[in-house]
Amino acid sequence: MTIATAALAGDLAPTGVLRAAINLGNPVLAHGTAETPTGVTVDLAREIGARLGVPVDLVCFDAARTSYKAMAAGRADLCFLAVDPAREAEVAFTAPYVVIEGVYVVPRDSALATVADVDRAGVRIGVKRGSAYDLFLSRTLQHASVVRGDEGVDAFRDLGLEAGAGIRQPMARFVATHPDTRLIEDRFMEIRQAVGTTRSRRPETVAFLRDLVEELKAGGFVTDALRRAGQSDATVAPPA
């Protein structure tokens, strides 16, 4: 290990182990169990640890909000979250490594046909509490309201809401098993998933993460990780 690498490792993994917060609640990024997680974020965490020459501890959570809170509280060194202004005050992000889409599900006989139709008075949208789309819709909706739950589609179904919001891939699977629902095909947001760490890290450490993400995108590492995880329909983010 070079002196420069040792300095990076000491800053990013001060305990001697790189603690990576893994969100099992987003199947595009990770899945499996807390004991044996897999997915693109798991592969990225292990590659970052390998580059630094330190072991990796995968600290698993069931939602982005709990993953974020763990790092903010000092219980994780690294996170994999969607870039959002509400998080950037605490998190130093790389450029995105993958881009996914937020879409709406509605009852099959709903009059709502477009993204614009959903933002009207009286429309209630089920969202996963603390998710990227919760933050986005809470900030941008003009007329509709959000209803937060452990899962957006559960709130949509259980409470008889007018719409539910979520990530395209799991939402498409939900619709396939619930024929009384349908997707509004156009996305309401682009979700830019990135690697993040606390803003207390040295500029050289953040630059290392940013440069490494660009290298792994360009070299096919991210594409291969998505393919292995069965998520080939997810889009690798363009170069920063």
Side-chain angles (χ1 to χ4, degrees):
M1 182 184 294
T2 67
I3 294 175
T5 302
L8 291 171
D11 187 40
L12 190 57
T15 65
V17 176
L18 181 65
R19 301 167 301 166
I22 303 296
N23 173 20
L24 293 174
N26 184 334
V28 176
L29 306 184
H31 45 269
T33 67
E35 293 73 28
T36 57
T38 59
V40 63
T41 55
V42 173
D43 291 350
L44 285 169
R46 287 176 172 155
E47 181 65 16
I48 293 168
R51 296 295 183 99
L52 295 175
V54 297
V56 176
D57 181 16
L58 302 171
V59 188
C60 295
F61 302 92
D62 61 358
R65 68 182 184 279
T66 50
S67 176
Y68 168 78
K69 288 178 180 177
M71 196 182 72
R75 293 186 286 118
D77 306 306
L78 203 66
C79 66
F80 300 88
L81 295 170
V83 180
D84 187 90
R87 295 170 175 163
E88 288 183 300
E90 300 289 340
V91 181
F93 283 108
T94 66
Y97 58 89
V98 69
V99 177
I100 54 184
E101 295 180 329
V103 296
Y104 293 125
V105 62
V106 297
R108 177 161 291 279
D109 60 359
S110 172
L112 304 176
T114 69
V115 168
D117 289 341
V118 177
D119 190 10
R120 61 176 57 172
V123 173
R124 301 163 299 165
I125 306 167
V127 301
K128 184 171 186 173
R129 185 180 294 105
S131 63
Y133 43 93
D134 176 9
L135 298 175
F136 176 81
L137 292 173
S138 297
R139 186 172 62 249
T140 60
L141 287 173
Q142 298 296 309
H143 306 288
S145 59
V146 299
V147 178
R148 298 176 179 86
D150 290 337
E151 292 293 342
V153 289
D154 290 345
F156 163 67
R157 292 284 289 186
D158 296 345
L159 301 176
L161 305 181
E162 290 70 35
I167 296 164
R168 180 178 294 279
Q169 288 86 344
M171 293 290 267
R173 289 194 291 272
F174 175 84
V175 167
T177 57
H178 295 81
D180 58 336
T181 67
R182 60 178 169 83
L183 285 184
I184 293 178
E185 287 297 332
D186 289 345
R187 71 184 185 221
F188 64 81
M189 73 174 296
E190 186 176 74
I191 304 171
R192 300 176 299 135
Q193 295 288 342
V195 181
T197 189
T198 61
R199 288 197 168 274
S200 61
R201 258 67 190 207
R202 297 165 58 235
E204 294 86 352
T205 302
V206 177
F208 159 76
L209 290 173
R210 289 173 174 162
D211 291 345
L212 181 55
V213 165
E214 294 308 302
E215 175 190 333
L216 297 178
K217 288 191 298 187
F221 180 98
V222 176
T223 299
D224 290 344
L226 290 167
R227 176 185 50 77
R228 288 192 298 272
Q231 301 295 332
S232 296
D233 54 347
T235 303
V236 177

